[in-house]
Amino acid sequence: GEDVEQSLFLSVREGDSSVINCTYTDSSSTYLYWYKQEPGAGLQLLTYIFSNMDMKQDQRLTVLLNKKDKHLSLRIADTQTGDSAIYFCAETTSGTYKYIFGTGTRLKVLA
Amino acid sequence: NAGVTQTPKFQVLKTGQSMTLQCAQDMNHNSMYWYRQDPGMGLRLIYYSASEGTTDKGEVPNGYNVSRLNKREFSLRLESAAPSQTSVYFCASTSGGAGNEQFFGPGTRLTVL
């Protein structure tokens, strides 16, 4: 079956790096995404990675994909208080219309 | 572009009442989705519409109906609201391009008493 798992909470100090982890079970996933949800708002796409890639970097964000272990991570460098939010990983498979979301990780950045 | 818009933003219903949640997108996207978000459960798909004129059930369709009115609009109807339908509802649409990312509306916060 399809499942996407994340830890529920992460707390870091301002200026440190944050690493949010996600595991998925569908080996046929084509695209893997990271979304950010701020309080009272919808989900905003941060970045995505194709399943044939190992890493993608976009400014302070680094995504690592380990296909063998079905493990996806999001690293946020120099974490700021504005990064406090819920982060969702999600997957989809080319040719389908279904997206599977994780439960979300609530990141709290301490000043 | 406004992106994905949803109305209303907040709603309180009594058990048994009906209502329709509206969603519209101005990005010319083919596919549209309705999700509900509950604490600790992430997003669960209620219904989706792959293209104008088609709708399909998602993971949790019971108690809901949808209408894809045209390419822009996708509405979600609760015929007889129940307290278990208290949730935050998100509409999304899909670009279909590279990455096939989903764009989300701001959500409707529904409470059923």
Side-chain angles (χ1 to χ4, degrees), chain B residues 70-106:
Chain B
N70 48 55
K71 192 171 186 179
R72 289 187 64 247
E73 299 172 290
F74 188 37
S75 63
L76 178 72
R77 182 160 178 84
L78 286 71
E79 289 291 351
S80 178
S84 61
Q85 294 178 303
T86 292
S87 187
V88 182
Y89 291 85
F90 289 101
C91 178
S93 66
T94 304
S95 63
N100 206 28
E101 64 179 286
Q102 285 196 313
F103 292 81
F104 284 82

Side-chain angles (χ1 to χ4, degrees), chain A residues 71-91:
Chain A
H71 183 263
L72 181 73
S73 67
L74 174 70
R75 178 177 179 269
I76 305 172
D78 187 24
T79 312
Q80 303 297 307
T81 54
D83 295 324
S84 292
I86 301 176
Y87 291 81
F88 291 91
C89 66
E91 60 173 349

Side-chain angles (χ1 to χ4, degrees), chain A residues 26-55:
Chain A
D26 189 348
S27 59
S28 63
S29 295
T30 306
Y31 301 106
L32 295 132
Y33 307 88
W34 283 105
Y35 284 87
K36 177 183 180 182
Q37 184 183 32
E38 296 185 0
L43 278 69
Q44 178 186 6
L45 180 70
L46 288 176
T47 187
Y48 67 90
I49 189 169
F50 293 106
S51 59
N52 61 359
M53 297 169 63
D54 298 324
M55 186 183 87

Side-chain angles (χ1 to χ4, degrees), chain A residues 19-22 24 32 34 47-50 53-57 61-67 70-75:
Chain A
V19 179
I20 302 171
N21 295 301
C22 171
Y24 61 98
L32 295 132
W34 283 105
T47 187
Y48 67 90
I49 189 169
F50 293 106
M53 297 169 63
D54 298 324
M55 186 183 87
K56 182 178 181 181
Q57 188 154 1
L61 305 179
T62 302
V63 177
L64 295 178
L65 176 60
N66 181 330
K67 283 195 71 175
K70 298 188 180 67
H71 183 263
L72 181 73
S73 67
L74 174 70
R75 178 177 179 269

